[in-house]
Amino acid sequence: MNIITSIDDMPDQDLTGEQNGSHPLFANAPRSVSFNKLRKRLLRNVRQAFEDFDMLKGQKRWLVGLSGGKDSYGLLALLLDLKWRGLLPVELIACNLDQGQPNFPKHVLPEYLTGIGVPHRIEYRDTYSVVKEKVPQGGTYCSLCSRLRRGNLYRIAREEGCDALLLGHHREDILETFFMNFFHGGRLAGMPAKLMNDEGDLMVLRPLAYCAEDDMAKFAAAMEFPIIPCDLCGSQDGLQRNAMKDMLADIERRMPGRKDVMLRALAHVNPSHLLDPKLFDFSALAVTEPSHQERREAHPPL
């Protein structure tokens, strides 16, 4: 295995596995130039997130949340790719939380992960019944479902001796969350790429923070991941997040490149130009130079 210090140093033929080999996950990956460019772009985005948010500091073992959706599959694949190339000195264990959803194909993930040689843990917890019981008819399942799932993943991460829980949230997830908080929560807050849990013993990392959802969808389709649809949250229409997704898609159609600009804006905050006195001490602002009138009085015209 060759150790490569930069994704940009990898020639296109190396990404196809024709020179130095690649993780078994990529054995049947497309050999096209367009796929190689996509893969290289996603790898670069992940490594940039590692660097910008110091994700590798003190990390030795990661629990990778695997839902069976395109994004978590893509996250695992990119991490395995980096690890194969000697660019990720962290031990990985994949974890799926079987939440007891009806018709959930229990065999898919264990067979897939075993087939590519990835250490994994499948945990059964019937949070589906809890959510259906607690959320009134017509209510939104996502919030409660997410909290229950996250709590179980934290527990599993501790039991497995992991330093961090990795989640497959991408650029659009972050922007949608920001605008949901902006329009409905009355606050400026997004979805952090790096977060300490309330107990202070685990990091939550989102290495796909710079990755576009469209790129993740193309990557998943090309890799032919065995996608498992969500029959709970994914079955509800008219959610606030869907409205934010549609709004952002419309903006991007009319003004291409706006999503990247919005994401950059979240990384360039000027507190003195907002309205939060807890974030910026407006009371400390004081004029230090004499006013125009005071200067005139001190130096009257001849």
Side-chain angles (χ1 to χ4, degrees), residues 95-210:
C95 178
N96 171 254
L97 182 65
D98 180 349
Q99 297 179 263
Q101 294 184 14
N103 305 316
F104 184 79
K106 297 178 181 293
H107 64 285
V108 171
L109 285 169
E111 290 179 1
Y112 177 77
L113 293 169
T114 299
I116 61 174
V118 173
H120 60 276
R121 174 170 168 177
I122 308 297
E123 182 86 1
Y124 177 78
R125 283 291 186 275
D126 185 8
T127 62
Y128 177 87
S129 297
V130 176
V131 172
K132 294 288 284 186
E133 177 186 347
K134 299 293 184 183
V135 178
Q137 186 70 26
T140 300
Y141 300 137
C142 293
S143 180
L144 178 57
C145 180
S146 176
R147 290 199 302 272
L148 293 173
R149 182 172 61 250
R150 187 72 57 84
N152 278 288
L153 289 174
Y154 284 162
R155 172 183 56 79
I156 295 167
R158 295 186 186 100
E159 292 173 359
E160 294 292 338
C162 295
D163 309 296
L165 167 64
L166 272 71
L167 302 175
H169 296 121
H170 46 62
R171 180 188 69 178
E172 276 71 9
D173 289 321
I174 292 173
L175 291 176
E176 289 160 17
T177 299
F178 174 81
F179 281 105
M180 285 175 66
N181 287 324
F182 184 73
F183 287 125
H184 302 286
R187 59 195 178 102
L188 296 181
M191 184 181 280
K194 183 179 183 179
L195 174 72
M196 179 76 77
N197 70 335
D198 292 339
E199 292 78 9
D201 64 339
L202 285 171
M203 287 290 183
V204 177
L205 304 177
R206 297 181 171 96
L208 302 183
Y210 296 149

Side-chain angles (χ1 to χ4, degrees), residues 17-36:
E18 293 172 4
Q19 275 194 352
N20 301 321
S22 61
H23 191 278
L25 178 63
F26 293 89
N28 298 316
R31 299 294 191 259
S32 66
V33 173
S34 60
F35 177 77
N36 292 335

Side-chain angles (χ1 to χ4, degrees), residues 17-60:
E18 293 172 4
Q19 275 194 352
N20 301 321
S22 61
H23 191 278
L25 178 63
F26 293 89
N28 298 316
R31 299 294 191 259
S32 66
V33 173
S34 60
F35 177 77
N36 292 335
K37 289 181 177 178
L38 170 64
R39 181 176 169 189
K40 197 170 184 178
R41 180 165 64 250
L42 290 172
L43 290 170
R44 188 185 302 114
N45 288 338
V46 170
R47 293 203 72 206
Q48 190 65 55
F50 284 168
E51 180 178 340
D52 288 352
F53 301 102
D54 205 7
M55 290 185 180
L56 297 178
K57 184 177 181 180
Q59 299 290 301
K60 297 179 180 179

